[in-house]
Amino acid sequence: DPRLSLVAGLACLRLERRSEALGLADAGLAAEDLPAELRSDLAWVRGASLMARYRELFAVDDWRGANIALETATQAGAWRAQAAAALAILQDLGPLGSPDRQTKFARLALQLQPEGQAAQALRGLLERRGLSP
């Protein structure tokens, strides 16, 4: 059941068991005819897992996979704002990052969640890059 994969994947993320979270997300995403919200939430687990793995191993394929999965996660679901913020941050982490994508997804994250610690961090990130939110 993809919903169980999501719950277990989120738990594995919290426990920093990234490989298990990634496997659960992939298993859930393999199901046919997923509702948009569930697909996006599973993409969040996938993207967050790959982003964390990229930060450890610096494999460009992990960066690319995180970039794609996090963008999918910004389209719907409960983790949309977190995915947009992570995607904006990801643009600074790898050699393939784009200031245009960073600005686009930082703005989306700020639109979805204008207050809080993540919003402050995104505003600071954009200011350091000379970009406006």
Side-chain angles (χ1 to χ4, degrees):
D1 183 340
R3 293 171 294 180
L4 293 177
S5 292
L6 174 61
V7 171
L10 290 168
C12 286
L13 275 180
R14 287 188 190 107
L15 295 170
E16 297 184 12
R17 295 165 64 177
R18 294 172 191 97
S19 294
E20 289 176 61
L22 181 59
L24 289 160
D26 287 342
L29 288 166
E32 294 183 27
D33 300 324
L34 290 174
E37 293 81 13
L38 182 55
R39 179 170 302 286
S40 291
D41 288 347
L42 286 164
W44 159 251
V45 173
R46 178 174 172 61
S49 299
L50 288 169
M51 184 174 170
R53 193 165 74 180
Y54 175 77
R55 292 178 114 170
E56 291 175 6
L57 303 175
F58 301 103
V60 175
D61 285 343
D62 287 341
W63 190 95
R64 285 187 181 117
N67 196 45
I68 292 166
L70 290 171
E71 184 170 359
T72 299
T74 66
Q75 296 170 4
W79 298 91
R80 190 174 178 213
Q82 292 88 340
L87 191 49
I89 292 166
L90 182 67
Q91 301 310 303
D92 265 354
L93 297 180
L96 305 174
S98 160
D100 292 336
R101 283 178 66 76
Q102 186 171 54
T103 303
K104 173 184 174 181
F105 289 105
R107 285 180 180 157
L108 176 60
L110 291 170
Q111 176 186 357
L112 294 169
Q113 207 167 46
E115 302 299 325
Q117 188 176 4
Q120 289 176 340
L122 284 174
R123 285 188 185 94
L125 174 68
L126 291 175
E127 287 174 14
R128 284 190 301 279
R129 299 276 316 249
L131 304 169
S132 64

